[in-house]
């Protein structure tokens, strides 16, 4: 004989362990609002803003000369979202290579990159022939 309280408990717990609904639409029964229509997720960046950024990047790719960045630094595009920059920081000239990211229609510097002082930049330029030879050996 099966105990009725165990059976009811099992049925109750089983009904509570349902899979959650899709994150894209939330029904009104799960929200506090009175409307009967499901809510859609908000988009982070509008398509128009993305298109504008792509246009800016393409323009920078076509022009081989430097462009001015938002902080007044000279920017030279190396690839789609990677730039070499010449800027001033605390009164010292710095040469940097950095990846950039899209922040709401504006290019901003990311974490990945390096900034070299003028002394380090000069040292790198002096060793460029040896670096080229090493690259040729490995490729």
């Amino acid at each position: 004989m099966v105990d009725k309280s165990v059976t009811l408990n099992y049925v109750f717990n089983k009904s509570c362990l349902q899979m959650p609904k899709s994150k894209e639409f939330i029904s009104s029964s799960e929200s506090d609002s009175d409307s009967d229509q499901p809510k859609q997720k908000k988009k982070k960046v509008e398509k128009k803003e993305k298109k504008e950024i792509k246009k800016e990047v393409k323009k920078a790719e076509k022009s081989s000369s430097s462009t001015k960045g938002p902080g007044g630094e000279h920017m030279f595009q190396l690839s789609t979202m990677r730039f070499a920059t010449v800027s001033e920081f605390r009164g010292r000239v710095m040469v940097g290579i950095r990846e950039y990211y899209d922040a709401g229609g504006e290019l901003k510097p990311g974490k990945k990159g390096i900034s070299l002082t003028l002394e380090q930049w000069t040292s790198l330029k002096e060793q460029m022939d040896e670096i080229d030879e090493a690259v040729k050996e490995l490729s």
Side-chain angles (χ1 to χ4, degrees), residues 17-29:
L17 298 174
Q18 293 178 355
M19 294 293 291
K21 293 190 177 185
S22 171
K23 290 181 181 179
E24 186 155 324
F25 292 101
I26 301 172
S27 68
S28 62
S29 63

Side-chain angles (χ1 to χ4, degrees), residues 39-85:
K39 295 180 181 179
Q40 282 188 327
K41 283 200 285 186
K42 293 181 181 179
K43 293 183 180 180
K44 290 183 180 179
V45 179
E46 293 181 15
K47 289 182 180 180
K48 289 181 182 179
E49 292 176 352
K50 286 185 178 181
K51 287 181 182 179
E52 290 174 11
I53 292 169
K54 287 180 182 179
K55 286 179 185 178
E56 290 176 16
V57 169
K58 285 182 181 179
K59 284 180 186 177
E61 284 177 350
K62 290 180 182 178
S63 66
S64 60
S65 63
S66 71
T67 58
K68 287 279 188 172
E73 68 273 7
H74 297 275
M75 297 179 71
F76 302 87
Q77 187 161 15
L78 303 176
S79 65
T80 306
M81 297 296 277
R82 190 170 291 165
F83 292 85
T85 60

Side-chain angles (χ1 to χ4, degrees), residues 6-17:
V6 172
T7 306
L8 288 174
N9 193 15
Y10 173 75
V11 172
F12 175 76
N13 287 336
K14 187 175 180 183
S15 66
C16 292
L17 298 174

